[in-house]
Amino acid sequence: MADTLTVTDNRTGKTYELAVTDGTINAMDLRKIRVSDDDFGLMAYDPAYKNTASCRSAITYIDGDQGILHYRGYPIEQLAVQSSFLECSYLLLKGELPSPSAMARFRHEVTHHTLVHENTRELLDGFRYDAHPMGMLISTIAALSTFYPEAQNVTNEENRWLQIVRLIGKVPTLAAYAYRHRRGLPYVYPDNELSYSGNFLNMLFKMTERTYVPNPAAERALDVLFILHADHEQNCSTSAMRGVGSSRVDPYSALAAACAALYGPLHGGANEAVVRMLNEIGTKDNIPSFVKRAKEDKNVRLMGFGHRVYKNYDPRAKVIKELAYDVFEALGKNPLIDIAVELERIALEDDYFIQKKLYPNVDFYSGLIYQALGLPMDMYPVLFAIGRTVGWLAQWEEMLRDPEQAISRPRQIYTGPAIRDYVPLSER
Ligand code: SDX
């Protein structure tokens, strides 16, 4: 059998052979199907891109039915236990696990790009004390483009790499500064002697002690969470990174756009929404009535449940759920975990969730760990952004190298009025 699709257009009786490649047809081939010579030809209509492959990518593989997630072929379960976030970052960016010398070089590069221009502090001081940290993060990431005008030269590979390590190094600093601004605390400079995650905890929580010593359980938990959030193929915010980056804008501006997409409650903002939901439920007794609302009221969602791709348990949620108990053992139990576990049990036994294949996703348990680490709820999407920064950058780099890619510009089905003449105001 040939790898083709034979399509008969019943409007004209004509038959067309469309090539099937990697389980897809090339949408441009549809344009051959016309009813007349001056016909534009067929397009595919796919709101929210529910069934459209936007690119070829070798970075992350997901099997939504099996609940499988691989970074460059390595199962996420193995990376979460055996790797580190910086090593996974190298893997996502370069495609291979680093040699010891390459790892040392990468760690040195990122560590020595953690400082931000002092003007950034003044920028942050312009925000109200209660500004949402995601709003501050998006703004300061975009502002970084003004400190590095050479970043606009996106066709130069070495220049791209310099901006990539700068962003991986500086995003945690901006995130921590946003948190310290909210608390009215002095900013803490990076400590290059600490690990990536240990330094982030230092910039968040260091007070008057001379040297901050991170809690090992908290440091490891953060590093694993950053690994689990690092990339997830063509999700909403990555599609924003690719789409904005396709105009050849600098990576700081594109990453600010990706961060803005992640901020939404249906995407990275869900981890904050889960904890607010669990607080609203309050006790196990209230779970059945809440689940009933989530099933009947389209405006109420069981946050942290459901996924566009996973129609099985999100493998990241499994790792995070186990990690949560390790953190609680070291830092004290978060009482909301009992409500979360009971809510999961009830939902997974409910026909509505079973039929719609709604399972816990990455956001269902992550907020409980962030809360146990002492972070306020509005910082949770910020933590997601720190981990996902490397995924956005790896996908941006791959897009720029892809000869099939061009500026992202979809078409539309026009539903507006037909042509009509302007009517002067005096005659309306
Ligand atoms: C992330 O794409 C990624 O990879 C994202 C991410 C990543 O790593 O980048 O994995 C991170 O964003 C995880 C998702 C976090 N968001 C949430 O937890 C918010 C709650 N979940 C939903 O809003 C929803 O499940 C989405 C947004 C995640 C997926 O939406 P889809 O694929 O567009 O599915 P849908 O909204 O069309 O839902 C299908 C049906 C609907 O019912 P019907 O209209 O068919 O009757 O399922 C229902 C929905 O009403 N449904 C839910 C539900 N999720 C879907 N009903 C109750 N609670 C939910 N959580």
Side-chain angles (χ1 to χ4, degrees):
M1 301 291 278
D3 282 338
T4 60
L5 215 56
T6 302
V7 176
T8 299
D9 183 348
N10 294 320
R11 301 172 298 173
T12 60
K14 288 184 181 172
T15 299
Y16 304 83
E17 292 288 307
L18 302 182
V20 176
T21 311
D22 300 321
T24 68
I25 59 165
N26 189 311
M28 288 305 287
D29 288 349
L30 294 174
R31 294 280 289 280
K32 292 186 287 196
I33 303 174
R34 303 158 178 252
V35 294
S36 62
D37 289 345
D38 61 354
D39 181 8
F40 180 79
L42 287 188
M43 290 192 291
Y45 176 54
D46 187 13
Y49 308 117
K50 292 194 173 184
N51 191 41
T52 292
S54 62
C55 63
R56 293 176 182 281
S57 180
I59 299 171
T60 293
Y61 173 73
I62 301 173
D63 180 324
D65 292 330
Q66 302 300 318
I68 287 171
L69 169 57
H70 297 165
Y71 289 163
R72 300 286 190 177
Y74 294 98
I76 193 69
E77 296 82 359
Q78 293 183 26
L79 294 171
V81 172
Q82 301 179 60
S83 187
S84 70
F85 173 65
L86 273 190
E87 184 179 72
C88 282
S89 296
Y90 185 97
L91 171 66
L92 288 168
L93 289 165
K94 294 289 189 182
E96 297 296 337
L97 289 170
S99 65
S101 60
M103 187 63 226
R105 198 164 47 249
F106 182 61
R107 183 188 311 283
H108 178 86
E109 281 188 283
V110 171
T111 303
H112 289 80
H113 282 291
T114 48
L115 277 172
V116 293
H117 194 290
E118 285 294 290
N119 281 161
T120 314
R121 294 158 45 115
E122 291 152 27
L123 181 67
L124 277 164
D125 288 344
F127 287 98
R128 279 173 49 99
Y129 76 95
D130 59 352
H132 195 293
M134 275 300 268
M136 289 193 264
L137 184 64
I138 293 163
S139 307
T140 46
I141 288 173
L144 286 183
S145 67
T146 65
F147 295 116
Y148 308 110
E150 76 278 9
Q152 291 176 32
N153 180 9
V154 299
T155 57
N156 178 291
E157 183 179 338
E158 278 179 31
N159 185 45
R160 292 201 303 269
W161 180 256
L162 173 57
Q163 314 315 324
I164 285 171
V165 292
R166 275 174 170 159
L167 273 160
I168 295 173
K170 295 177 193 306
V171 166
T173 307
L174 297 174
Y177 278 15
Y179 170 76
R180 300 286 288 197
H181 172 79
R182 290 285 314 283
R183 297 285 310 278
L185 292 170
Y187 299 131
V188 175
Y189 285 101
D191 178 343
N192 291 348
E193 299 308 311
L194 295 173
S195 73
Y196 188 85
S197 299
N199 176 46
F200 181 58
L201 290 168
N202 160 61
M203 295 188 292
L204 283 174
F205 298 131
K206 183 176 182 293
M207 300 306 272
T208 57
E209 67 271 41
R210 287 180 63 80
T211 304
Y212 179 82
V213 179
N215 176 301
E219 185 176 5
R220 181 61 194 155
L222 259 188
D223 215 56
V224 173
L225 284 165
F226 288 154
I227 290 171
L228 295 171
H229 286 82
D231 191 58
H232 212 240
E233 56 133 284
Q234 306 312 314
N235 56 84
C236 177
S237 54
T238 297
S239 299
M241 182 78 189
R242 281 177 168 261
V244 172
S246 73
S247 72
R248 298 297 186 265
V249 75
D250 68 87
Y252 301 97
S253 305
L255 202 117
C259 209
L262 186 76
Y263 190 6
L266 294 187
H267 194 8
N271 52 22
E272 175 183 351
V274 167
V275 176
R276 294 186 189 284
M277 171 188 74
L278 294 173
N279 281 325
E280 180 194 336
I281 292 171
T283 66
K284 287 185 186 179
D285 297 341
N286 294 337
I287 292 175
S289 61
F290 182 84
V291 169
K292 185 171 184 297
R293 282 174 56 207
K295 289 159 58 176
E296 295 170 357
D297 181 348
K298 283 297 176 199
N299 297 315
V300 176
R301 288 249 158 136
L302 184 41
M303 301 309 279
F305 259 69
H307 200 276
R308 175 64 57 78
V309 176
Y310 288 124
K311 301 309 173 190
N312 201 324
Y313 211 104
D314 184 332
R316 301 168 295 176
K318 278 183 192 159
V319 176
I320 294 174
K321 187 176 177 182
E322 290 163 22
L323 183 66
Y325 286 103
D326 298 340
V327 172
F328 300 155
E329 198 174 309
L331 302 179
K333 182 178 175 182
N334 185 332
L336 290 178
I337 185 78
D338 294 331
I339 297 177
V341 169
E342 179 64 2
L343 177 55
E344 173 190 328
R345 185 190 67 76
I346 291 174
L348 294 186
E349 291 175 357
D350 186 297
D351 271 348
Y352 174 92
F353 295 90
I354 294 168
Q355 295 302 321
K356 293 178 186 297
K357 297 185 177 180
L358 303 174
Y359 292 85
N361 59 48
V362 66
D363 291 305
F364 189 62
Y365 287 107
S366 56
L368 297 181
I369 297 178
Y370 297 143
Q371 193 171 45
L373 296 180
L375 286 164
M377 282 184 264
D378 54 16
M379 277 295 287
Y380 302 169
V382 172
L383 273 291
F384 195 144
I386 293 173
R388 187 53 58 87
T389 289
V390 66
W392 291 328
L393 291 166
Q395 298 274 351
W396 171 74
E397 176 72 20
E398 187 178 63
M399 179 268 297
L400 289 172
R401 288 168 178 259
D402 185 343
E404 288 188 330
Q405 291 296 330
I407 187 166
S408 176
R409 202 269 184 232
R411 309 306 293 256
Q412 66 172 15
I413 296 172
Y414 177 67
T415 59
I419 187 168
R420 50 184 172 168
D421 292 328
Y422 179 80
V423 178
L425 187 60
S426 57
E427 296 171 25
R428 280 180 238 153

